[in-house]
Amino acid sequence: MNRIFVYGTLKNGQPNHFRLMDPGTGTTLFVGVGETVEKYPLVIERSWNMPCLLHEPGTGWHVKGEIYDVDDEKMKFLDYFEDHPEMYTRTVISAEYTNSKDTQCSDPVSQSSAPKSKENQPNTRSECWCYFYNDCDSVRDLPHIDVYDSKGDHGLEYDASIDAEFDKDKKS
C-alpha cells in the first residue's frame, strides 16, 4: 500500500472525495487526520478555484488534511487525476497525526472507521506521498491558508467544470 496525504478536493466532504473512494479505480483506506510537519503555502488558484500546495518548505502554514492508504492501482489513478508530473508533482512529505476535532476535514464516520493503532495516534508521524502544484510563480502571491474547504468563508467555491473535461478525457 501507498500512504498519501490529501489537503484539497479529495478530502472527505469535498467535491472529488468520491473519486478517491471509487472502488473501480483501486482500493482506499482512511488512516487518520493529520497535518504537514513542515510549513507549506496552500493557496486557492483563481481559474478554477482549486487548492494548490506549493513545494516551498518553511513558508506558509502546517497544512491540515487526511491520510489514506491506497493500492498501486489507485496510486496510478491519482497520478492521472492530478496530472502528475505536468501539473502536480508527487513528493514524499512527513505528516503528523492530529486530533480531528482540531480540523475541518473529517467527519465522525470516517474517524470511527480508521484503524486503531499506535501508528495513527496524535503526535505520531508518517511518511506520505503528497501532490505539489508545479506552477508556483502564477499563485505564489495569493493568500496562504492552512485548511481547504470548497465552501469555506473565502468565497472561492471549487469550479467542477474542470472535472467535466477530465471525465470526458477518461472516457476517450
Side-chain angles (χ1 to χ4, degrees):
M1 295 292 267
N2 305 283
R3 185 144 295 171
I4 62 166
F5 177 84
V6 298
Y7 56 83
T9 66
L10 292 171
K11 292 187 314 184
N12 188 16
Q14 298 304 311
N16 286 313
H17 183 69
F18 74 97
R19 297 177 192 282
L20 179 63
M21 302 310 290
D22 178 5
T25 57
T27 302
T28 303
L29 175 66
F30 176 75
V31 178
V33 174
E35 66 182 25
T36 60
V37 171
E38 288 271 358
K39 292 180 178 179
Y40 294 102
L42 174 60
V43 300
I44 301 175
E45 175 277 338
R46 297 306 198 258
S47 298
W48 297 291
N49 294 334
M50 65 183 183
C52 300
L53 191 62
L54 310 183
H55 196 264
E56 296 179 355
T59 306
W61 303 95
H62 297 282
V63 176
K64 294 169 178 57
E66 296 173 348
I67 300 167
Y68 292 86
D69 282 339
V70 300
D71 66 6
D72 290 341
E73 182 183 4
K74 181 67 75 174
M75 191 89 253
K76 184 177 177 181
F77 168 78
L78 291 172
D79 283 349
Y80 175 67
F81 181 69
E82 298 290 1
D83 196 15
H84 165 74
E86 279 72 33
M87 183 179 285
Y88 286 84
T89 300
R90 180 166 43 96
T91 305
V92 173
I93 64 159
S94 187
E96 185 170 276
Y97 294 94
T98 60
N99 183 339
S100 64
K101 293 176 188 149
D102 297 333
T103 70
Q104 301 173 2
C105 56
S106 185
D107 72 359
V109 174
S110 290
Q111 184 181 347
S112 66
S113 68
K116 305 296 184 222
S117 72
K118 290 181 181 179
E119 182 181 57
N120 65 354
Q121 296 305 304
N123 303 315
T124 58
R125 294 182 178 183
S126 186
E127 298 300 301
C128 305
W129 288 109
C130 183
Y131 291 92
F132 288 94
Y133 190 63
N134 288 334
D135 189 10
C136 295
D137 291 339
S138 70
V139 296
R140 180 174 286 116
D141 295 331
L142 295 172
H144 299 173
I145 58 176
D146 67 335
V147 63
Y148 174 80
D149 183 343
S150 178
K151 298 192 183 290
D153 60 9
H154 47 68
L156 300 169
E157 186 170 347
Y158 179 72
D159 182 354
S161 67
I162 190 174
D163 297 327
E165 293 174 27
F166 169 81
D167 291 334
K168 185 176 111 185
D169 290 345
K170 188 176 164 190
K171 291 176 183 174
S172 303

